[in-house]
């Protein structure tokens, strides 16, 4: 007998009500779009950024939009701040983190032969090491509760390079393997760890590229969809990996790139 379609049953797979989701770097950019999408799917989101005032403004916007949100001003590259603020959040009202999105990402573009060690280290610290330290602190609670979701925002540069982005590609390539490393150690605790790899999206991080006519023409020709991605177009993948719909998916990286990595 053909089962009658039950849209409500189908949607419960993606229901995030009752879950607390921390999205790092979510006061603006892709992180804010992901936080908005997870909140609209029912999660209570924790907005993070280094600037306490900007975090507070973002929380006000979420609250005005009737989306459940709290703020967590924390510099994810400062390990002491990560340990202290996550402990305060857990014990002081936010409660256990059910979903962690490691989103923070910075760029310091330069040819490798001209790249300072400071530019190299800053990108590795923000884009890779922060995902390790924040995940380590959050995963301990997930291991105790035998439940959790970790989503690492990788990049098409987890697999592909472009001149002047060697530090960023090394960090995002490492984040792809850290996703797998987390999966092989933590899947046994019913924690699912996966990655989302955006292609070229129009954000603050890429503003100078979007405004460069030659680059814009090149990337729209190189991308089979012949356009830049829009931040909201990452939300579906984030809800999928944050929800029970991906309960047996682990260590995978989903490319949301308009087909770019499928093309020569
Ligand atoms: C660049 C871009 C890329 C994209 C990102 C896509 O300099 O080529 O900034 O790094 O931002 O990697 O995932």
């Amino acid at each position: 007998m053909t089962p009658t379609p039950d849209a409500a049953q189908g949607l419960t797979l993606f229901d995030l009500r009752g879950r607390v989701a921390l999205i790092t770097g979510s006061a603006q950019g892709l992180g804010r779009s992901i936080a908005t999408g997870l909140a609209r799917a029912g999660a209570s989101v924790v907005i993070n950024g280094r600037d306490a005032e900007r975090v507070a403004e973002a929380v006000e916007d979420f609250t005005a939009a009737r989306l459940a949100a709290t703020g967590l001003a924390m510099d994810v590259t400062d390990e002491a701040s990560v340990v202290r603020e996550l402990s305060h959040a857990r014990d002081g009202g936010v409660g256990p983190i059910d979903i962690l999105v490691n989103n923070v990402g910075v760029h310091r573009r330069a040819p490798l032969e001209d790249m300072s060690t400071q530019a190299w280290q800053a990108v590795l610290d923000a884009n890779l090491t922060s995902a390790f330290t924040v995940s380590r602190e959050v995963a301990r609670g997930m291991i105790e509760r035998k439940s959790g979701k970790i989503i690492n925002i990788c990049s098409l540069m987890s697999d592909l390079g472009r001149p002047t982005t060697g530090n960023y590609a090394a960090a995002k390539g490492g984040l792809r393997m850290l996703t797998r490393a987390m999966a092989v150690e933590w899947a046994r605790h019913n924690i699912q760890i996966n990655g989302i790899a955006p292609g070229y999206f129009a954000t603050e991080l890429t503003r100078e590229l979007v405004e460069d006519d030659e680059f814009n023409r090149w990337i729209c020709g190189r991308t089979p969809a012949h356009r830049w991605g829009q931040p909201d177009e990452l939300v579906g993948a984030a809800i999928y990996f944050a929800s029970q719909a991906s309960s047996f998916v682990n260590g995978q990286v989903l490319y949301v790139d308009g087909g770019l990595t499928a093309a020569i």
Side-chain angles (χ1 to χ4, degrees):
M1 181 182 78
T2 306
T4 52
D6 176 353
Q9 170 64 25
L11 289 177
T12 55
L13 275 177
F14 301 92
D15 186 350
L16 300 182
R17 281 176 295 184
R19 306 289 174 81
V20 177
L22 166 61
I23 304 93
T24 65
S26 48
Q28 60 185 18
L30 292 181
R32 180 159 179 156
S33 298
I34 291 171
T36 302
L38 297 182
R40 286 174 177 161
S44 175
V45 297
V46 182
I47 303 297
N48 162 255
R50 284 182 303 183
D51 182 323
E53 191 174 324
R54 184 175 280 187
V55 167
E57 286 169 2
V59 170
E60 282 177 18
D61 293 344
F62 274 70
T63 304
R66 302 170 63 81
L67 296 172
T70 55
L72 180 61
M74 169 177 74
D75 177 352
V76 295
T77 65
D78 173 348
E79 184 171 359
S81 167
V82 167
V83 174
R84 179 181 64 249
E85 295 307 325
L86 285 176
S87 172
H88 288 167
R90 182 185 56 243
D91 303 335
V94 167
I97 303 294
D98 301 299
I99 302 159
L100 170 62
V101 182
N102 289 306
N103 165 74
V104 163
V106 299
H107 248 299
R108 296 280 187 284
R109 299 181 185 87
L112 284 172
E113 67 273 18
D114 298 334
M115 187 179 289
S116 69
T117 307
Q118 189 281 332
W120 168 269
Q121 199 60 55
V123 169
L124 270 291
D125 288 350
N127 296 9
L128 179 57
T129 304
S130 73
F132 160 66
T133 51
V134 176
S135 299
R136 179 191 63 196
E137 295 306 308
V138 171
R140 289 183 183 132
M142 291 178 173
I143 291 169
E144 283 173 17
R145 295 188 299 278
K146 290 290 181 227
S147 175
K149 293 283 191 173
I150 297 176
I151 303 167
N152 294 322
I153 304 303
C154 299
S155 164
L156 67 84
M157 292 196 159
S158 294
D159 266 320
L160 301 176
R162 180 178 82 83
T164 74
T165 64
N167 46 3
Y168 188 94
K172 291 297 189 178
L175 190 56
R176 179 171 185 238
M177 282 313 301
L178 180 60
T179 300
R180 291 175 169 174
M182 289 175 177
V184 299
E185 290 198 28
W186 293 341
R188 72 196 69 187
H189 304 298
N190 188 34
I191 302 170
Q192 289 87 52
I193 306 98
N194 292 287
I196 297 172
Y200 280 86
F201 278 71
T203 66
E204 277 308 306
L205 207 65
T206 57
R207 176 190 293 274
E208 65 181 273
L209 302 175
V210 174
E211 293 172 354
D212 177 325
D213 290 343
E214 184 181 352
F215 187 93
N216 186 42
R217 277 195 303 276
W218 173 71
I219 207 60
C220 289
R222 179 72 178 76
T223 303
H226 293 321
R227 65 176 177 86
W228 291 76
Q230 294 306 316
D232 288 350
E233 292 182 291
L234 283 178
V235 168
I239 292 172
Y240 170 67
F241 281 138
S243 70
Q244 280 312 300
S246 57
S247 58
F248 198 56
V249 180
N250 236 314
Q252 302 306 306
V253 175
L254 176 62
Y255 281 79
V256 184
D257 66 358
L260 195 153
T261 48
I264 55 172

